[in-house]
Amino acid sequence: MVNSNQTPANSFVVAMRKVYNPIGFSKGYNFVLSRLQYFSFYGIFCNPRVHGASGASPGECYFYLQNPFKIGMMLHLFCILPAGVLVCFQFVPAIRHKVILFHRINGYLVILLSLTANAGVLVVAQHAFGGDMATRILTGVLVISTTVAYVFAWFNIKRLQIDQHRAWMMRAWAYFSSIITLRIIMFLAALIISSIGGFYTSRPCAQIASIVGQDMTINLYPGCLPFFQGKDNALEVLVKAGFPNGNPVEIGAGLGITFGSAGWLAFWIHTVAIEFYLRLTPAEGQRLRQVSYERQSERGFRHPGSAGLVAQRLGDANPYVPLSQGTDATRRGEGYMLSVPGKKIGVEDTH
């Protein structure tokens, strides 16, 4: 455990130190930015000499250094990390308003990178943090949810349904960002179950030996002796959860036991949170709906204002009634300029 010598500024800092100090961080900003160092796959992520939270969880790289899992993890890390950085520019108003071409190209690049990262994570899901069923199903649900959200967002922008494009892009990244909340919940849950005691999971003897070596494996887990005698190459033994004060094998077990459940809780939190946000910001949605109506009218759509995936098209909602065209709400110059034949309309495509 690492402890900071600085006096905490407030109770929030005190609480967060309880999360990042046990996993090797003394400063909160290092905890936030540390993931970018995973571009160094062999030097940081899968370096056996790197300890604490700087590298992968103990034992993970036993699989990640073998193909096809190595390819899958590299694909995931090398795509999702830049996507997570680039998507931040999509939320900068000055870029959306004044540098439209960058906004569009960057958006397609973010989608391409994150979908490629999705493909990579599917490859490694069977071994990620033990690869239990909760983890595998969570991975599949996250991949499907983000991909479907992207498809809906793309379809809506092609139909000039800007309000729904905003909503589905925000949903996609609410789902993606649940992995951050997952980590926090996982660490806290691992601390709790380790302090309670009595939580165990199985780990392959080969994986344990890759962490602590043959002699220590036999000493800590005598049940692995038949593995080293060549009698059972797939032998697994029970490992107690011991985070953060156990041996490296127990630390990895503590994180693995809680990963799947922490992921489901984080996904639920983010799913509910984004729906609350979208329903608590109806004015922006209505403004963009009006802009969508004007754009679709200019292009000759059959049902302007409802050309995309909206309730009027899919459900039993009342027909959309547009505001007066040319109102201050839609033409006050806050958004970037969307070209239509003979005219430009201001749009703030916030997503």
Side-chain angles (χ1 to χ4, degrees):
M1 177 182 290
V2 175
N3 293 311
S4 176
N5 295 324
Q6 295 180 336
T7 302
N10 51 55
S11 58
F12 175 77
V13 176
V14 173
M16 290 307 300
R17 281 184 180 177
K18 293 179 180 179
V19 175
Y20 61 74
N21 281 343
I23 56 176
F25 287 100
S26 60
K27 297 179 177 63
Y29 57 80
N30 286 336
F31 175 64
V32 174
L33 298 175
S34 64
R35 303 308 97 182
L36 294 180
Q37 66 187 345
Y38 287 171
F39 280 118
S40 177
F41 187 80
Y42 297 105
I44 299 293
F45 186 73
C46 275
N47 186 342
R49 294 185 297 274
V50 173
H51 302 288
S54 298
S57 176
E60 293 292 286
C61 285
Y62 169 73
F63 298 104
Y64 296 161
L65 291 175
Q66 304 176 37
N67 284 325
F69 312 113
K70 178 172 69 174
I71 296 174
M73 181 50 69
M74 284 185 167
L75 198 64
H76 177 64
L77 290 176
F78 297 166
C79 289
I80 200 60
L81 292 177
V85 173
L86 292 175
V87 76
C88 296
F89 295 107
Q90 298 298 93
F91 294 90
V92 178
I95 293 177
R96 291 198 311 271
H97 301 168
K98 300 178 181 180
V99 195
I100 308 170
L101 182 61
F102 174 84
H103 178 78
R104 292 173 179 170
I105 294 175
N106 188 59
Y108 279 111
L109 182 59
V110 166
I111 291 174
L112 177 63
L113 286 170
S114 49
L115 289 181
T116 305
N118 277 354
V121 80
L122 288 176
V123 176
V124 303
Q126 62 180 298
H127 292 301
F129 289 92
D132 60 15
M133 288 306 298
T135 297
R136 297 188 192 193
I137 297 175
L138 169 68
T139 301
V141 169
L142 282 172
V143 168
I144 293 172
S145 299
T146 52
T147 302
V148 169
Y150 272 156
V151 170
F152 286 177
W154 176 83
F155 177 82
N156 278 296
I157 200 60
K158 290 301 180 182
R159 299 291 294 174
L160 304 181
Q161 198 69 48
I162 302 167
D163 56 314
Q164 290 302 310
H165 170 70
R166 164 185 176 262
W168 283 106
M169 287 300 288
M170 293 184 71
R171 287 187 179 104
W173 277 93
Y175 305 153
F176 273 121
S177 61
S178 66
I179 196 68
I180 300 172
T181 305
L182 180 160
R183 290 297 196 277
I184 297 173
I185 297 173
M186 177 181 68
F187 292 138
L188 294 175
L191 284 169
I192 293 171
I193 67 170
S194 298
S195 63
I196 295 174
F199 288 84
Y200 293 82
T201 187
S202 63
R203 287 292 182 266
C205 292
Q207 184 182 27
I208 296 173
S210 73
I211 303 172
V212 296
Q214 177 175 337
D215 293 339
M216 186 63 72
T217 300
I218 296 175
N219 183 42
L220 294 173
Y221 306 99
C224 283
L225 185 59
F227 166 78
F228 294 107
Q229 294 174 341
K231 296 179 180 179
D232 187 353
N233 292 331
L235 183 62
E236 297 190 5
V237 295
L238 285 179
V239 178
K240 180 180 68 174
F243 180 87
N245 298 319
N247 64 56
V249 183
E250 293 175 344
I251 292 174
L255 296 175
I257 291 172
T258 59
F259 182 86
S261 56
W264 280 108
L265 179 56
F267 180 68
W268 177 82
I269 290 172
H270 281 240
T271 300
V272 172
I274 189 58
E275 297 304 323
F276 264 106
Y277 177 81
L278 291 173
R279 281 155 180 77
L280 291 173
T281 55
E284 180 63 9
Q286 291 167 4
R287 190 183 71 80
L288 292 176
R289 184 73 178 272
Q290 173 68 17
V291 174
S292 301
Y293 169 81
E294 296 178 3
R295 291 286 320 272
Q296 293 165 9
S297 296
E298 292 283 350
R299 297 290 181 89
F301 280 79
R302 191 172 188 180
H303 301 290
S306 301
L309 299 177
V310 295
Q312 284 78 8
R313 181 171 178 172
L314 302 175
D316 61 353
N318 293 325
Y320 172 66
V321 179
L323 302 173
S324 299
Q325 295 189 27
T327 60
D328 291 338
T330 59
R331 300 182 183 278
R332 58 192 175 193
E334 293 182 357
Y336 57 69
M337 302 305 294
L338 293 173
S339 303
V340 295
K343 191 176 187 180
K344 289 185 178 181
I345 299 175
V347 177
E348 185 181 3
D349 185 8
T350 54
H351 49 70

